[in-house]
Amino acid sequence: MIEIYLLEQLVSFAKNKTLLRAAEELHISQPALSRSMKKIEEEFGVQLFNRENSKISLNETGKLATEYARRVLEADREMLERVIAFDRSKRTLCVGSCAPFPTGELIPYIQEYYIDMAITSEIADDDRLISGLKNGIYQLAILHEQPDEKELFCQRYLEERIYLSVPKEHPFAKKKSVSFDDMKELRMLVARNIGFWMNVCKNNLPTDNLLIQNSLEALYELIYASSLPCFNSDRMIERGSDMPERVNIPITDEDAHTIYYIACLSSERKKYSSVFNVARSTVIRGE
Amino acid sequence: MIEIYLLEQLVSFAKNKTLLRAAEELHISQPALSRSMKKIEEEFGVQLFNRENSKISLNETGKLATEYARRVLEADREMLERVIAFDRSKRTLCVGSCAPFPTGELIPYIQEYYIDMAITSEIADDDRLISGLKNGIYQLAILHEQPDEKELFCQRYLEERIYLSVPKEHPFAKKKSVSFDDMKELRMLVARNIGFWMNVCKNNLPTDNLLIQNSLEALYELIYASSLPCFNSDRMIERGSDMPERVNIPITDEDAHTIYYIACLSSERKKYSSVFNVARSTVIRGE
DNA sequence: TCGGATTACGTGCACCGTAATGATC
DNA sequence: GATCATTACGGTGCACGTAATCCGA
């Protein structure tokens, strides 16, 4: 069997055409490379080079050998890459969610239970979450609808209701409640990354009235600096992110309320039982 | 990059399950293998083994790594095989022929001109010879018909005429000539490996009358031991393989006579010019 | 006590670099 | 003289083997 380092040197020579330049690329000396080329020729047991005193070049067989060498190196490289990726995936727990609040709520608990794992979370559509669970992109998903798929285990999690948030002096500030219909004329500040709530907004309000902010910093700055209305939610308020000089008015539409569900592959239910236990106890505490 | 010898050791361990047995297979010591497994783990940068004091085994990642390692080894092995085969093909001159006589005539000359090459020859149909020239299986072919292919160079070679050979006391022995039609009732001894001549026989004589012999030894033994008729040819007679106590009677049919042609790829005409020169001079001498 | 893995230690080979030589332009 | 390959020589790292140790059935 011919060792990888020899193949690397062969390929580098094929690329650089002279031993000197190849040796520079490989950070070895010219004589070392010269010897290696002798050695690889000996190991193949066939002539790979034309040598004319102070000139060495690949012959037809050498070119073929280089082609195959490239393949071997590629296989070696791919092996390294895939094995490392697999290892990483084993120690990474990826949580997908349809909205930001539940991950913020759940992840600290998960982190606590799986201290040796990297936890990643991202927001995606329910469709993508479900297919992601199936193909292993996500290990856990937080949905706002119960999927009726047999291969998924699903457990009810927290509820969330969104509110209209306006400054105290805003015409709406005195209202006990509002509907999306009432809000049709309002220009609303909203963050971009709010998952399915964005669909709720777009389905119930004129799209042009949504002042979508890419970053939370920008959003909060605008909320403080302007009197423009924005959204809030019971869960965010509980969490203490209430905004001073603003009042939160309940939105009466059914769309303004949701129930979250935690899901995983049925086959992995046991593996994540601690997550489901924590979630269940959170729900009970919240009631 | 991970070296081949480490991959071989990993694969051997995966196969043998214990370091001891794998070390035996690899003809190295147990500690050496133990260290190698540490090293390969370090080079991957991930855990590949479960170690429980006096027990070591592959984990999931290790099994995956082994799978990929097998592929790399296979690629390495295939490289070696293909390169050696290509080299061999470069120093092998393969001559295909439609009949045995012309190769026997030509090969000594070829051998003389290409002393550093291995000359192989085999007998095949004209179709196979032509496709073999095109795909590199044959470098030279001896045909009994001129192909009209542009990519082939073709030169007329020797002629051959076959004779009926019978013992002196045979009823046919006195004839000045015969036709295949005259021979319809004769049971003929023939060798199997006579190329296109076998087609000539089958097209002109009842197949059941052909006593086909696999080996030349068997054929000659029967010729000497029996009074059965057989074939001979002017070229074979010239060469001195005339048979005592037998007479050779010319066969009048056109099918009993052929002209051989030597062909090669037009692109390689120069490469084999010495062969064609020898062949031309042989033809002229023969006239 | 034996099968099996690891640790400790010494050794030799194989690969490397430096320097010198050879060859071609 | 510049470029480029090879030979010669001395050094070193690393993979190896031997021996000892540890651990569990």
Side-chain angles (χ1 to χ4, degrees):
Chain A
M1 285 292 208
I2 296 175
E3 290 299 333
I4 295 293
Y5 79 98
L6 286 177
L7 300 180
E8 280 177 322
Q9 295 180 2
L10 176 67
V11 167
S12 175
F13 170 68
K15 181 176 141 203
N16 290 288
K17 310 292 182 197
T18 77
L19 291 183
L20 184 66
R21 280 204 296 268
E24 276 166 13
E25 184 182 74
L26 294 162
H27 303 294
I28 61 173
S29 69
Q30 201 175 352
L33 188 56
S34 176
R35 279 189 301 259
S36 284
M37 295 303 96
K38 268 207 167 44
K39 184 179 168 76
I40 201 172
E41 214 169 9
E42 193 176 305
E43 300 216 349
F44 269 111
V46 306
Q47 221 181 307
L48 301 176
F49 304 98
N50 299 318
R51 296 164 200 271
E52 303 148 21
N53 277 329
S54 83
K55 182 73 195 162
I56 183 173
S57 58
L58 289 165
N59 65 18
E60 287 304 303
T61 315
K63 283 174 190 166
L64 184 73
T66 306
E67 273 314 294
Y68 281 104
R70 275 190 246 271
R71 292 192 211 173
V72 176
L73 293 179
E74 175 57 23
D76 203 78
R77 202 198 51 69
E78 187 185 344
M79 171 183 67
L80 202 60
E81 185 182 293
R82 296 286 178 87
V83 167
I84 289 171
F86 178 76
D87 180 75
R88 220 180 83 83
S89 79
K90 272 210 314 185
R91 44 193 84 258
T92 302
L93 180 54
C94 206
V95 183
S97 176
C98 63
F101 156 70
T103 48
E105 191 69 16
L106 192 62
I107 279 178
Y109 292 107
I110 295 179
Q111 195 70 264
E112 201 173 309
Y113 277 92
Y114 301 89
I115 44 172
D116 56 343
M117 297 195 90
I119 316 292
T120 71
S121 70
E122 57 186 47
I123 289 177
D125 301 340
D126 277 41
D127 283 352
R128 191 173 292 269
L129 291 171
I130 288 169
S131 66
L133 279 177
K134 290 180 185 171
N135 64 28
I137 290 175
Y138 303 117
Q139 282 71 57
L140 290 168
I142 298 165
L143 311 167
H144 69 284
E145 275 168 1
Q146 280 200 70
D148 59 349
E149 317 251 355
K150 202 75 183 181
E151 51 177 322
L152 298 184
F153 171 70
C154 186
Q155 180 185 296
R156 184 174 168 152
Y157 189 41
L158 298 171
E159 300 179 39
E160 187 175 24
R161 178 179 298 278
I162 54 172
Y163 288 68
L164 174 67
S165 170
V166 293
K168 283 180 176 149
E169 60 277 12
H170 193 279
F172 277 39
K174 294 279 158 50
K175 288 185 184 256
K176 280 279 180 294
S177 68
V178 294
S179 69
F180 283 126
D181 209 48
D182 300 331
M183 295 159 63
K184 279 234 152 40
E185 304 300 316
L186 297 180
R187 292 179 69 78
M188 300 285 300
L189 286 169
V190 294
R192 177 175 302 280
N193 198 31
I194 54 173
F196 84 99
W197 289 120
M198 184 57 78
N199 297 335
V200 172
C201 289
K202 290 186 175 169
N203 292 341
N204 292 286
L205 296 171
T207 309
D208 290 345
N209 281 355
L210 299 174
L211 305 169
I212 297 171
Q213 303 304 309
N214 284 323
S215 74
L216 276 181
E217 289 82 46
L219 178 71
Y220 282 120
E221 204 164 307
L222 286 170
I223 289 172
Y224 281 102
S226 74
S227 58
L228 286 166
C230 63
F231 289 105
N232 208 340
S233 91
D234 51 357
R235 292 302 180 181
M236 299 308 279
I237 295 164
E238 272 177 21
R239 207 184 263 175
S241 74
D242 200 2
M243 282 157 287
E245 306 303 317
R246 289 207 169 224
V247 292
N248 298 306
I249 306 156
I251 300 172
T252 50
D253 303 63
E254 187 45 40
D255 264 11
H257 169 257
T258 199
I259 300 170
Y260 294 114
Y261 301 86
I262 305 182
C264 74
L265 287 180
S266 305
S267 57
E268 293 189 314
R269 178 179 173 178
K270 262 187 164 167
K271 200 166 159 185
Y272 300 115
S273 59
S274 49
V275 175
F276 290 111
N277 287 339
V278 162
R280 197 173 304 115
S281 68
T282 312
V283 174
I284 292 166
R285 238 194 355 265
E287 277 169 359
Chain B
M1 285 292 207
I2 295 174
E3 290 299 333
I4 295 293
Y5 78 96
L6 286 176
L7 300 181
E8 280 177 322
Q9 296 181 0
L10 176 66
V11 167
S12 175
F13 170 68
K15 182 177 139 201
N16 290 288
K17 310 291 182 198
T18 78
L19 291 183
L20 184 65
R21 280 203 296 268
E24 277 166 12
E25 183 181 74
L26 293 162
H27 304 294
I28 61 172
S29 69
Q30 201 174 353
L33 187 56
S34 175
R35 278 189 302 260
S36 284
M37 295 302 96
K38 270 207 166 49
K39 184 179 168 78
I40 200 172
E41 214 170 11
E42 194 176 302
E43 299 215 349
F44 269 111
V46 306
Q47 222 180 307
L48 301 177
F49 303 97
N50 299 316
R51 295 164 200 273
E52 303 147 20
N53 276 330
S54 83
K55 183 73 196 159
I56 182 173
S57 58
L58 289 165
N59 65 18
E60 287 304 304
T61 315
K63 283 174 190 164
L64 184 72
T66 306
E67 274 313 295
Y68 280 103
R70 273 191 246 272
R71 291 193 212 177
V72 176
L73 293 180
E74 174 57 22
D76 203 78
R77 201 198 51 70
E78 188 185 343
M79 171 182 66
L80 202 59
E81 185 181 295
R82 296 287 179 87
V83 167
I84 289 172
F86 178 75
D87 180 74
R88 219 180 82 84
S89 78
K90 273 210 313 183
R91 44 192 86 259
T92 302
L93 180 53
C94 207
V95 183
S97 176
C98 64
F101 156 69
T103 47
E105 192 69 17
L106 192 61
I107 280 177
Y109 293 106
I110 295 179
Q111 194 70 264
E112 201 174 308
Y113 278 93
Y114 301 90
I115 45 172
D116 56 341
M117 297 195 90
I119 317 293
T120 71
S121 69
E122 58 187 47
I123 289 178
D125 301 340
D126 277 42
D127 284 354
R128 193 173 291 269
L129 291 172
I130 288 169
S131 65
L133 278 178
K134 290 180 185 169
N135 63 29
I137 290 175
Y138 304 117
Q139 282 71 56
L140 290 168
I142 297 165
L143 311 168
H144 70 284
E145 275 168 2
Q146 279 199 69
D148 59 349
E149 316 251 354
K150 202 76 179 177
E151 51 177 322
L152 297 184
F153 171 71
C154 186
Q155 181 185 296
R156 186 173 166 155
Y157 189 42
L158 298 172
E159 300 178 39
E160 187 175 25
R161 179 179 298 278
I162 55 171
Y163 287 69
L164 174 66
S165 170
V166 292
K168 283 179 176 153
E169 60 277 10
H170 193 277
F172 278 40
K174 294 278 158 53
K175 289 186 183 255
K176 282 275 180 295
S177 67
V178 293
S179 68
F180 284 125
D181 208 50
D182 300 331
M183 297 159 62
K184 278 229 151 50
E185 304 301 316
L186 297 181
R187 293 180 68 80
M188 301 284 301
L189 286 169
V190 294
R192 178 175 302 281
N193 198 31
I194 54 173
F196 83 100
W197 289 120
M198 185 56 79
N199 297 333
V200 173
C201 290
K202 290 186 175 167
N203 292 339
N204 292 285
L205 296 170
T207 310
D208 289 346
N209 281 355
L210 299 173
L211 305 168
I212 297 169
Q213 303 303 310
N214 284 323
S215 74
L216 277 181
E217 288 82 47
L219 178 71
Y220 283 119
E221 206 164 307
L222 287 170
I223 289 172
Y224 282 102
S226 74
S227 57
L228 286 166
C230 63
F231 289 105
N232 207 340
S233 89
D234 50 358
R235 293 302 179 182
M236 299 308 280
I237 295 164
E238 272 176 24
R239 208 184 262 172
S241 72
D242 199 3
M243 281 158 288
E245 307 302 316
R246 289 206 170 223
V247 290
N248 299 305
I249 306 156
I251 300 171
T252 51
D253 303 63
E254 188 47 39
D255 266 11
H257 169 256
T258 199
I259 301 170
Y260 295 114
Y261 301 87
I262 305 181
C264 74
L265 287 180
S266 304
S267 57
E268 293 189 314
R269 178 180 172 177
K270 262 187 165 169
K271 202 166 159 186
Y272 301 115
S273 58
S274 50
V275 175
F276 290 111
N277 287 339
V278 163
R280 198 173 304 116
S281 66
T282 312
V283 173
I284 292 166
R285 242 197 346 269
E287 278 169 0

